[in-house]
PDB file of all heavy atoms in Angstrom:
ATOM      1  N   ILE A  21       0.838  -1.203   0.000  1.00  0.00           N
ATOM      2  CA  ILE A  21       0.000   0.000   0.000  1.00  0.00           C
ATOM      3  C   ILE A  21       0.869   1.248   0.000  1.00  0.00           C
ATOM      4  O   ILE A  21       0.604   2.214  -0.730  1.00  0.00           O
ATOM      5  CB  ILE A  21      -0.955   0.001   1.213  1.00  0.00           C
ATOM      6  CG1 ILE A  21      -1.830  -1.252   1.174  1.00  0.00           C
ATOM      7  CG2 ILE A  21      -1.820   1.251   1.206  1.00  0.00           C
ATOM      8  CD1 ILE A  21      -2.634  -1.420  -0.092  1.00  0.00           C
ATOM      9  N   ILE A  22       1.936   1.243   0.799  1.00  0.00           N
ATOM     10  CA  ILE A  22       2.861   2.380   0.789  1.00  0.00           C
ATOM     11  C   ILE A  22       3.549   2.471  -0.571  1.00  0.00           C
ATOM     12  O   ILE A  22       3.744   3.562  -1.119  1.00  0.00           O
ATOM     13  CB  ILE A  22       3.891   2.239   1.927  1.00  0.00           C
ATOM     14  CG1 ILE A  22       3.197   2.376   3.289  1.00  0.00           C
ATOM     15  CG2 ILE A  22       4.989   3.283   1.794  1.00  0.00           C
ATOM     16  CD1 ILE A  22       4.119   2.160   4.468  1.00  0.00           C
ATOM     17  N   THR A  23       3.904   1.312  -1.126  1.00  0.00           N
ATOM     18  CA  THR A  23       4.532   1.296  -2.451  1.00  0.00           C
ATOM     19  C   THR A  23       3.593   1.863  -3.506  1.00  0.00           C
ATOM     20  O   THR A  23       3.973   2.715  -4.316  1.00  0.00           O
ATOM     21  CB  THR A  23       4.928  -0.143  -2.836  1.00  0.00           C
ATOM     22  OG1 THR A  23       5.716  -0.713  -1.793  1.00  0.00           O
ATOM     23  CG2 THR A  23       5.706  -0.157  -4.136  1.00  0.00           C
ATOM     24  N   GLN A  24       2.364   1.393  -3.497  1.00  0.00           N
ATOM     25  CA  GLN A  24       1.380   1.886  -4.464  1.00  0.00           C
ATOM     26  C   GLN A  24       1.117   3.379  -4.258  1.00  0.00           C
ATOM     27  O   GLN A  24       0.993   4.138  -5.225  1.00  0.00           O
ATOM     28  CB  GLN A  24       0.077   1.098  -4.323  1.00  0.00           C
ATOM     29  CG  GLN A  24       0.184  -0.346  -4.767  1.00  0.00           C
ATOM     30  CD  GLN A  24      -0.943  -1.214  -4.235  1.00  0.00           C
ATOM     31  OE1 GLN A  24      -1.995  -0.704  -3.832  1.00  0.00           O
ATOM     32  NE2 GLN A  24      -0.735  -2.525  -4.222  1.00  0.00           N
ATOM     33  N   SER A  25       1.052   3.795  -2.986  1.00  0.00           N
ATOM     34  CA  SER A  25       0.836   5.213  -2.695  1.00  0.00           C
ATOM     35  C   SER A  25       1.970   6.056  -3.255  1.00  0.00           C
ATOM     36  O   SER A  25       1.741   7.104  -3.871  1.00  0.00           O
ATOM     37  CB  SER A  25       0.718   5.414  -1.175  1.00  0.00           C
ATOM     38  OG  SER A  25       0.571   6.780  -0.868  1.00  0.00           O
ATOM     39  N   ARG A  26       3.210   5.597  -3.050  1.00  0.00           N
ATOM     40  CA  ARG A  26       4.358   6.353  -3.577  1.00  0.00           C
ATOM     41  C   ARG A  26       4.296   6.418  -5.095  1.00  0.00           C
ATOM     42  O   ARG A  26       4.514   7.479  -5.698  1.00  0.00           O
ATOM     43  CB  ARG A  26       5.659   5.698  -3.111  1.00  0.00           C
ATOM     44  CG  ARG A  26       6.904   6.233  -3.814  1.00  0.00           C
ATOM     45  CD  ARG A  26       8.154   5.916  -3.038  1.00  0.00           C
ATOM     46  NE  ARG A  26       8.209   6.703  -1.811  1.00  0.00           N
ATOM     47  CZ  ARG A  26       9.202   6.637  -0.937  1.00  0.00           C
ATOM     48  NH1 ARG A  26      10.194   5.788  -1.130  1.00  0.00           N
ATOM     49  NH2 ARG A  26       9.197   7.393   0.139  1.00  0.00           N
ATOM     50  N   ILE A  27       4.009   5.283  -5.743  1.00  0.00           N
ATOM     51  CA  ILE A  27       3.944   5.273  -7.205  1.00  0.00           C
ATOM     52  C   ILE A  27       2.861   6.220  -7.698  1.00  0.00           C
ATOM     53  O   ILE A  27       3.083   7.031  -8.606  1.00  0.00           O
ATOM     54  CB  ILE A  27       3.684   3.844  -7.728  1.00  0.00           C
ATOM     55  CG1 ILE A  27       4.912   2.974  -7.510  1.00  0.00           C
ATOM     56  CG2 ILE A  27       3.320   3.865  -9.215  1.00  0.00           C
ATOM     57  CD1 ILE A  27       4.694   1.513  -7.828  1.00  0.00           C
ATOM     58  N   TYR A  28       1.677   6.144  -7.084  1.00  0.00           N
ATOM     59  CA  TYR A  28       0.581   6.994  -7.552  1.00  0.00           C
ATOM     60  C   TYR A  28       0.826   8.464  -7.247  1.00  0.00           C
ATOM     61  O   TYR A  28       0.396   9.343  -8.006  1.00  0.00           O
ATOM     62  CB  TYR A  28      -0.743   6.524  -6.959  1.00  0.00           C
ATOM     63  CG  TYR A  28      -1.365   5.399  -7.748  1.00  0.00           C
ATOM     64  CD1 TYR A  28      -1.778   4.220  -7.128  1.00  0.00           C
ATOM     65  CD2 TYR A  28      -1.537   5.494  -9.118  1.00  0.00           C
ATOM     66  CE1 TYR A  28      -2.335   3.176  -7.854  1.00  0.00           C
ATOM     67  CE2 TYR A  28      -2.095   4.462  -9.850  1.00  0.00           C
ATOM     68  CZ  TYR A  28      -2.493   3.310  -9.206  1.00  0.00           C
ATOM     69  OH  TYR A  28      -3.042   2.289  -9.941  1.00  0.00           O
ATOM     70  N   HIS A  29       1.513   8.781  -6.152  1.00  0.00           N
ATOM     71  CA  HIS A  29       1.840  10.184  -5.884  1.00  0.00           C
ATOM     72  C   HIS A  29       2.767  10.728  -6.966  1.00  0.00           C
ATOM     73  O   HIS A  29       2.558  11.841  -7.475  1.00  0.00           O
ATOM     74  CB  HIS A  29       2.473  10.325  -4.501  1.00  0.00           C
ATOM     75  CG  HIS A  29       1.474  10.486  -3.404  1.00  0.00           C
ATOM     76  ND1 HIS A  29       0.696   9.442  -2.946  1.00  0.00           N
ATOM     77  CD2 HIS A  29       1.089  11.572  -2.678  1.00  0.00           C
ATOM     78  CE1 HIS A  29      -0.103   9.873  -1.994  1.00  0.00           C
ATOM     79  NE2 HIS A  29       0.116  11.158  -1.810  1.00  0.00           N
ATOM     80  N   TYR A  30       3.778   9.955  -7.341  1.00  0.00           N
ATOM     81  CA  TYR A  30       4.696  10.446  -8.373  1.00  0.00           C
ATOM     82  C   TYR A  30       4.092  10.318  -9.768  1.00  0.00           C
ATOM     83  O   TYR A  30       4.418  11.107 -10.671  1.00  0.00           O
ATOM     84  CB  TYR A  30       6.040   9.743  -8.237  1.00  0.00           C
ATOM     85  CG  TYR A  30       6.798  10.293  -7.052  1.00  0.00           C
ATOM     86  CD1 TYR A  30       6.731   9.676  -5.805  1.00  0.00           C
ATOM     87  CD2 TYR A  30       7.513  11.488  -7.150  1.00  0.00           C
ATOM     88  CE1 TYR A  30       7.377  10.216  -4.707  1.00  0.00           C
ATOM     89  CE2 TYR A  30       8.165  12.031  -6.050  1.00  0.00           C
ATOM     90  CZ  TYR A  30       8.100  11.388  -4.830  1.00  0.00           C
ATOM     91  OH  TYR A  30       8.732  11.938  -3.746  1.00  0.00           O
ATOM     92  N   PHE A  31       3.208   9.362  -9.950  1.00  0.00           N
ATOM     93  CA  PHE A  31       2.416   9.293 -11.175  1.00  0.00           C
ATOM     94  C   PHE A  31       1.591  10.573 -11.325  1.00  0.00           C
ATOM     95  O   PHE A  31       1.563  11.191 -12.392  1.00  0.00           O
ATOM     96  CB  PHE A  31       1.503   8.063 -11.093  1.00  0.00           C
ATOM     97  CG  PHE A  31       0.569   7.863 -12.253  1.00  0.00           C
ATOM     98  CD1 PHE A  31       1.045   7.527 -13.507  1.00  0.00           C
ATOM     99  CD2 PHE A  31      -0.801   7.960 -12.079  1.00  0.00           C
ATOM    100  CE1 PHE A  31       0.181   7.305 -14.573  1.00  0.00           C
ATOM    101  CE2 PHE A  31      -1.673   7.744 -13.125  1.00  0.00           C
ATOM    102  CZ  PHE A  31      -1.183   7.420 -14.379  1.00  0.00           C
ATOM    103  N   TYR A  32       0.958  10.999 -10.239  1.00  0.00           N
ATOM    104  CA  TYR A  32       0.164  12.232 -10.251  1.00  0.00           C
ATOM    105  C   TYR A  32       1.068  13.445 -10.418  1.00  0.00           C
ATOM    106  O   TYR A  32       0.664  14.452 -11.012  1.00  0.00           O
ATOM    107  CB  TYR A  32      -0.631  12.332  -8.955  1.00  0.00           C
ATOM    108  CG  TYR A  32      -1.971  13.019  -9.097  1.00  0.00           C
ATOM    109  CD1 TYR A  32      -3.045  12.379  -9.706  1.00  0.00           C
ATOM    110  CD2 TYR A  32      -2.184  14.307  -8.605  1.00  0.00           C
ATOM    111  CE1 TYR A  32      -4.277  12.989  -9.826  1.00  0.00           C
ATOM    112  CE2 TYR A  32      -3.418  14.933  -8.720  1.00  0.00           C
ATOM    113  CZ  TYR A  32      -4.458  14.273  -9.335  1.00  0.00           C
ATOM    114  OH  TYR A  32      -5.676  14.891  -9.460  1.00  0.00           O
ATOM    115  N   LEU A  33       2.287  13.367  -9.888  1.00  0.00           N
ATOM    116  CA  LEU A  33       3.255  14.446 -10.090  1.00  0.00           C
ATOM    117  C   LEU A  33       3.567  14.597 -11.575  1.00  0.00           C
ATOM    118  O   LEU A  33       3.578  15.718 -12.111  1.00  0.00           O
ATOM    119  CB  LEU A  33       4.526  14.149  -9.297  1.00  0.00           C
ATOM    120  CG  LEU A  33       5.657  15.183  -9.415  1.00  0.00           C
ATOM    121  CD1 LEU A  33       5.254  16.497  -8.771  1.00  0.00           C
ATOM    122  CD2 LEU A  33       6.932  14.653  -8.773  1.00  0.00           C
ATOM    123  N   PHE A  34       3.802  13.478 -12.265  1.00  0.00           N
ATOM    124  CA  PHE A  34       4.044  13.517 -13.708  1.00  0.00           C
ATOM    125  C   PHE A  34       2.824  14.099 -14.433  1.00  0.00           C
ATOM    126  O   PHE A  34       2.979  14.866 -15.380  1.00  0.00           O
ATOM    127  CB  PHE A  34       4.353  12.113 -14.233  1.00  0.00           C
ATOM    128  CG  PHE A  34       5.809  11.740 -14.172  1.00  0.00           C
ATOM    129  CD1 PHE A  34       6.458  11.605 -12.956  1.00  0.00           C
ATOM    130  CD2 PHE A  34       6.527  11.520 -15.324  1.00  0.00           C
ATOM    131  CE1 PHE A  34       7.791  11.257 -12.887  1.00  0.00           C
ATOM    132  CE2 PHE A  34       7.875  11.172 -15.281  1.00  0.00           C
ATOM    133  CZ  PHE A  34       8.515  11.035 -14.054  1.00  0.00           C
ATOM    134  N   ILE A  35       1.637  13.695 -14.002  1.00  0.00           N
ATOM    135  CA  ILE A  35       0.410  14.232 -14.607  1.00  0.00           C
ATOM    136  C   ILE A  35       0.407  15.754 -14.536  1.00  0.00           C
ATOM    137  O   ILE A  35       0.112  16.447 -15.521  1.00  0.00           O
ATOM    138  CB  ILE A  35      -0.837  13.672 -13.888  1.00  0.00           C
ATOM    139  CG1 ILE A  35      -1.069  12.209 -14.266  1.00  0.00           C
ATOM    140  CG2 ILE A  35      -2.082  14.498 -14.218  1.00  0.00           C
ATOM    141  CD1 ILE A  35      -2.188  11.545 -13.484  1.00  0.00           C
ATOM    142  N   ASN A  36       0.758  16.278 -13.374  1.00  0.00           N
ATOM    143  CA  ASN A  36       0.656  17.723 -13.185  1.00  0.00           C
ATOM    144  C   ASN A  36       1.820  18.490 -13.784  1.00  0.00           C
ATOM    145  O   ASN A  36       1.669  19.668 -14.110  1.00  0.00           O
ATOM    146  CB  ASN A  36       0.487  18.023 -11.696  1.00  0.00           C
ATOM    147  CG  ASN A  36      -0.922  17.748 -11.233  1.00  0.00           C
ATOM    148  OD1 ASN A  36      -1.817  18.561 -11.412  1.00  0.00           O
ATOM    149  ND2 ASN A  36      -1.138  16.566 -10.664  1.00  0.00           N
ATOM    150  N   ILE A  37       2.969  17.836 -13.961  1.00  0.00           N
ATOM    151  CA  ILE A  37       4.026  18.471 -14.751  1.00  0.00           C
ATOM    152  C   ILE A  37       3.545  18.635 -16.187  1.00  0.00           C
ATOM    153  O   ILE A  37       3.687  19.705 -16.797  1.00  0.00           O
ATOM    154  CB  ILE A  37       5.324  17.635 -14.688  1.00  0.00           C
ATOM    155  CG1 ILE A  37       5.936  17.692 -13.286  1.00  0.00           C
ATOM    156  CG2 ILE A  37       6.330  18.136 -15.723  1.00  0.00           C
ATOM    157  CD1 ILE A  37       7.104  16.739 -13.088  1.00  0.00           C
ATOM    158  N   GLY A  38       2.941  17.566 -16.731  1.00  0.00           N
ATOM    159  CA  GLY A  38       2.385  17.658 -18.080  1.00  0.00           C
ATOM    160  C   GLY A  38       1.293  18.712 -18.174  1.00  0.00           C
ATOM    161  O   GLY A  38       1.253  19.508 -19.113  1.00  0.00           O
ATOM    162  N   ALA A  39       0.416  18.730 -17.171  1.00  0.00           N
ATOM    163  CA  ALA A  39      -0.685  19.700 -17.174  1.00  0.00           C
ATOM    164  C   ALA A  39      -0.161  21.129 -17.063  1.00  0.00           C
ATOM    165  O   ALA A  39      -0.631  22.036 -17.769  1.00  0.00           O
ATOM    166  CB  ALA A  39      -1.637  19.396 -16.020  1.00  0.00           C
ATOM    167  N   LEU A  40       0.826  21.335 -16.191  1.00  0.00           N
ATOM    168  CA  LEU A  40       1.361  22.681 -15.984  1.00  0.00           C
ATOM    169  C   LEU A  40       2.024  23.208 -17.245  1.00  0.00           C
ATOM    170  O   LEU A  40       1.724  24.327 -17.696  1.00  0.00           O
ATOM    171  CB  LEU A  40       2.361  22.668 -14.824  1.00  0.00           C
ATOM    172  CG  LEU A  40       3.002  24.014 -14.461  1.00  0.00           C
ATOM    173  CD1 LEU A  40       1.951  24.969 -13.935  1.00  0.00           C
ATOM    174  CD2 LEU A  40       4.112  23.834 -13.435  1.00  0.00           C
ATOM    175  N   VAL A  41       2.913  22.409 -17.826  1.00  0.00           N
ATOM    176  CA  VAL A  41       3.612  22.849 -19.040  1.00  0.00           C
ATOM    177  C   VAL A  41       2.613  23.049 -20.175  1.00  0.00           C
ATOM    178  O   VAL A  41       2.663  24.049 -20.905  1.00  0.00           O
ATOM    179  CB  VAL A  41       4.692  21.822 -19.441  1.00  0.00           C
ATOM    180  CG1 VAL A  41       5.341  22.217 -20.762  1.00  0.00           C
ATOM    181  CG2 VAL A  41       5.755  21.718 -18.351  1.00  0.00           C
ATOM    182  N   GLY A  42       1.676  22.101 -20.302  1.00  0.00           N
ATOM    183  CA  GLY A  42       0.690  22.200 -21.366  1.00  0.00           C
ATOM    184  C   GLY A  42      -0.210  23.412 -21.222  1.00  0.00           C
ATOM    185  O   GLY A  42      -0.409  24.170 -22.178  1.00  0.00           O
ATOM    186  N   GLN A  43      -0.693  23.635 -20.024  1.00  0.00           N
ATOM    187  CA  GLN A  43      -1.643  24.728 -19.822  1.00  0.00           C
ATOM    188  C   GLN A  43      -0.981  26.094 -19.964  1.00  0.00           C
ATOM    189  O   GLN A  43      -1.535  27.003 -20.587  1.00  0.00           O
ATOM    190  CB  GLN A  43      -2.312  24.582 -18.453  1.00  0.00           C
ATOM    191  CG  GLN A  43      -3.257  23.401 -18.397  1.00  0.00           C
ATOM    192  CD  GLN A  43      -3.953  23.236 -17.057  1.00  0.00           C
ATOM    193  OE1 GLN A  43      -4.958  22.557 -16.951  1.00  0.00           O
ATOM    194  NE2 GLN A  43      -3.400  23.827 -16.019  1.00  0.00           N
ATOM    195  N   ILE A  44       0.204  26.260 -19.375  1.00  0.00           N
ATOM    196  CA  ILE A  44       0.869  27.562 -19.476  1.00  0.00           C
ATOM    197  C   ILE A  44       1.251  27.838 -20.928  1.00  0.00           C
ATOM    198  O   ILE A  44       1.000  28.923 -21.465  1.00  0.00           O
ATOM    199  CB  ILE A  44       2.109  27.616 -18.570  1.00  0.00           C
ATOM    200  CG1 ILE A  44       1.689  27.627 -17.099  1.00  0.00           C
ATOM    201  CG2 ILE A  44       2.948  28.860 -18.875  1.00  0.00           C
ATOM    202  CD1 ILE A  44       2.847  27.632 -16.133  1.00  0.00           C
ATOM    203  N   GLY A  45       1.863  26.839 -21.568  1.00  0.00           N
ATOM    204  CA  GLY A  45       2.272  27.053 -22.952  1.00  0.00           C
ATOM    205  C   GLY A  45       1.107  27.327 -23.874  1.00  0.00           C
ATOM    206  O   GLY A  45       1.174  28.219 -24.727  1.00  0.00           O
ATOM    207  N   MET A  46       0.008  26.600 -23.673  1.00  0.00           N
ATOM    208  CA  MET A  46      -1.103  26.715 -24.619  1.00  0.00           C
ATOM    209  C   MET A  46      -1.883  28.021 -24.454  1.00  0.00           C
ATOM    210  O   MET A  46      -2.377  28.576 -25.437  1.00  0.00           O
ATOM    211  CB  MET A  46      -2.047  25.520 -24.478  1.00  0.00           C
ATOM    212  CG  MET A  46      -1.400  24.182 -24.821  1.00  0.00           C
ATOM    213  SD  MET A  46      -0.244  24.233 -26.202  1.00  0.00           S
ATOM    214  CE  MET A  46       1.324  24.165 -25.338  1.00  0.00           C
ATOM    215  N   VAL A  47      -1.995  28.527 -23.228  1.00  0.00           N
ATOM    216  CA  VAL A  47      -2.748  29.776 -23.073  1.00  0.00           C
ATOM    217  C   VAL A  47      -1.971  30.952 -23.652  1.00  0.00           C
ATOM    218  O   VAL A  47      -2.573  31.899 -24.191  1.00  0.00           O
ATOM    219  CB  VAL A  47      -3.129  30.031 -21.600  1.00  0.00           C
ATOM    220  CG1 VAL A  47      -4.075  28.959 -21.098  1.00  0.00           C
ATOM    221  CG2 VAL A  47      -1.915  30.133 -20.698  1.00  0.00           C
ATOM    222  N   TYR A  48      -0.649  30.917 -23.575  1.00  0.00           N
ATOM    223  CA  TYR A  48       0.125  31.988 -24.203  1.00  0.00           C
ATOM    224  C   TYR A  48       0.111  31.839 -25.722  1.00  0.00           C
ATOM    225  O   TYR A  48       0.078  32.838 -26.448  1.00  0.00           O
ATOM    226  CB  TYR A  48       1.556  32.003 -23.659  1.00  0.00           C
ATOM    227  CG  TYR A  48       1.660  32.740 -22.341  1.00  0.00           C
ATOM    228  CD1 TYR A  48       1.689  32.044 -21.136  1.00  0.00           C
ATOM    229  CD2 TYR A  48       1.685  34.137 -22.303  1.00  0.00           C
ATOM    230  CE1 TYR A  48       1.755  32.707 -19.924  1.00  0.00           C
ATOM    231  CE2 TYR A  48       1.755  34.813 -21.094  1.00  0.00           C
ATOM    232  CZ  TYR A  48       1.786  34.096 -19.897  1.00  0.00           C
ATOM    233  OH  TYR A  48       1.843  34.775 -18.704  1.00  0.00           O
TER     234      TYR A  48
END
């Protein structure tokens, strides 16, 4: 459970890196 939690936290981190770069770049 801790392993899965760590993976999903960093999985979500990757999601939000993609979202952040995509959203900032696309609105400009």
Side-chain angles (χ1 to χ4, degrees):
I21 302 303
I22 293 176
T23 307
Q24 291 162 19
S25 177
R26 169 161 290 181
I27 290 173
Y28 276 128
H29 273 74
Y30 285 95
F31 178 68
Y32 212 74
L33 179 67
F34 272 65
I35 286 174
N36 283 279
I37 291 172
L40 181 65
V41 175
Q43 290 181 162
I44 291 178
M46 297 322 104
V47 296
Y48 278 99

